[in-house]
Amino acid sequence: MTILETPQAAVADGASGDQGFEAPVGRAAGAGLVGLELSDADRSEKFAQMRSGLLGSVHSWELVTAVDGPGTRMTIFLSGCPLRCLYCHNPDTMAMRNGEPVEATELLRRIKRYRRIFANSGGGITLSGGEVLMQPAFAATLLRGAKEMGIHTAIDTSGYLGAACTDEMLADVDLVLLDVKSGDPETYKKVTGRALEPTLKFGRRLAESGTEVWLRFVLVPGLTDDPENVEKVAEYAATLPTVTRVEVLPFHQMGKDKWDSLGMPYELGDTQPPSNAEVDRVREQFRAKGLTVY
């Protein structure tokens, strides 16, 4: 195995796609894989381990507080995503080949180090991406291992691949951060390149299973800000009894440099962040449905 060198020792101390594990292609700088060992298995072994959930393609990890769920959390960004969101701020996670091979046991070893921090802060782990459900077997292994350690678990997902989440895997998830990009199918297709219905179906399944949901909506001027579009998202959220929180996330340009560095065309280069008044208007639309909004 190869141990990654890290320029951020302080962080280390405390703080199924078909693209496989080819060499990373122009990956922009991210949070990194500080303190983790990479698998040195050969290509055939890697694919076998991936199918069994023992190995995953990982972009990075970081410790955050009150961002990806409650408390202090270790957020693990997996590589690979079926959506092509116009405003994606992590385009370097879209292709699975842009991640690095990390064994589940290695990540669980790292997770175990932070059990006391999680317990004291009411935190835990969050599997994000990319799209966590692109690697369901690997995600299931991490979630099961975390639950065996008594750690709170969350996944951050678009829900588009919700069918890949087995009932057994869902039983190991305490919280789902469900990203609903749009309430209008045509707008959703424009934003993501995909269909809306799988996301809505997964949200309904989460509600039926009793799984807590924090619904996330990114407000992009000229793209997702139409009042009718917002109203559809708010109406949908109100039908899910396990939605305990709605987060309206204002669009920003922080991902533009990554698109440029990857040589990918960025269509929102001239789009400005929404004003405070616009954000307040959208939040009020959700609050009008009796939802708790941030």
Side-chain angles (χ1 to χ4, degrees):
M1 292 187 176
T2 301
I3 300 178
L4 266 72
E5 296 180 0
T6 169
Q8 297 173 309
V11 177
D13 289 339
S16 11
D18 60 359
Q19 300 182 65
F21 295 96
E22 298 297 331
V25 179
R27 187 176 65 207
L33 288 161
V34 171
L36 294 178
E37 295 184 351
L38 304 185
S39 171
D40 58 4
D42 63 30
R43 183 180 173 83
S44 62
E45 288 177 312
K46 287 175 182 175
F47 280 116
Q49 291 174 355
M50 184 177 182
R51 286 192 295 270
S52 64
L54 300 178
L55 185 76
S57 178
V58 181
H59 172 269
S60 55
W61 71 274
E62 61 186 5
L63 285 182
V64 294
T65 299
V67 174
D68 297 319
T72 298
R73 311 194 70 79
M74 178 177 176
T75 301
I76 301 164
F77 299 90
L78 305 186
S79 292
C81 184
L83 307 187
R84 291 297 179 264
C85 297
L86 297 180
Y87 53 72
C88 180
H89 63 279
N90 286 320
D92 45 332
T93 65
M94 288 181 178
M96 198 174 293
R97 67 174 178 268
N98 282 359
E100 299 283 7
V102 179
E103 294 179 0
T105 52
E106 173 66 6
L107 271 171
L108 290 170
R109 177 189 64 80
R110 171 63 54 169
I111 290 168
K112 186 177 181 180
R113 291 183 57 179
Y114 300 112
R115 285 183 301 174
R116 183 173 297 178
I117 293 174
F118 299 151
N120 291 340
S121 69
I125 68 162
T126 299
L127 304 185
S128 186
E131 170 54 62
V132 58
L133 296 179
M134 278 282 282
Q135 301 185 57
F138 184 60
T141 300
L142 295 177
L143 293 165
R144 179 87 293 267
K147 293 311 296 178
E148 289 175 351
M149 289 187 274
I151 294 172
H152 182 276
T153 59
I155 62 172
D156 181 3
T157 177
S158 71
Y160 180 75
L161 296 178
C165 182
T166 65
D167 290 341
E168 292 77 14
M169 177 180 173
L170 189 56
D172 285 331
V173 177
D174 295 309
L175 171 67
V176 174
L177 310 178
L178 184 64
D179 301 311
V180 181
K181 321 286 184 176
S182 168
D184 173 70
E186 290 186 10
T187 301
Y188 193 92
K189 182 69 177 291
K190 182 178 180 180
V191 172
T192 70
R194 297 289 187 171
L196 169 61
E197 182 55 32
T199 291
L200 303 182
K201 183 176 180 180
F202 186 57
R204 291 190 288 267
R205 181 182 166 202
L206 294 174
E208 291 169 0
S209 70
T211 305
E212 183 180 7
V213 175
W214 288 9
L215 188 143
R216 288 176 156 180
F217 173 74
V218 179
L219 177 60
V220 187
L223 186 62
T224 66
D225 61 337
D226 184 83
E228 291 186 8
N229 180 52
V230 175
E231 192 69 13
K232 289 178 180 178
V233 180
E235 289 175 350
Y236 170 70
T239 68
L240 306 180
T242 60
V243 171
T244 60
R245 173 180 179 131
V246 173
E247 296 182 342
V248 176
L249 307 176
F251 166 78
H252 57 70
Q253 289 283 1
M254 289 189 289
K256 183 179 184 300
D257 289 344
K258 286 187 178 182
W259 286 77
D260 293 341
S261 69
L262 293 169
M264 299 170 62
Y266 184 64
E267 297 183 22
L268 302 180
D270 295 327
T271 301
Q272 297 299 311
S275 67
N276 291 338
E278 290 173 309
V279 175
D280 288 342
R281 185 263 297 175
V282 171
R283 286 175 175 157
E284 284 304 317
Q285 284 189 258
F286 283 99
R287 290 191 181 106
K289 303 298 180 183
L291 298 160
T292 300
V293 185
Y294 291 84

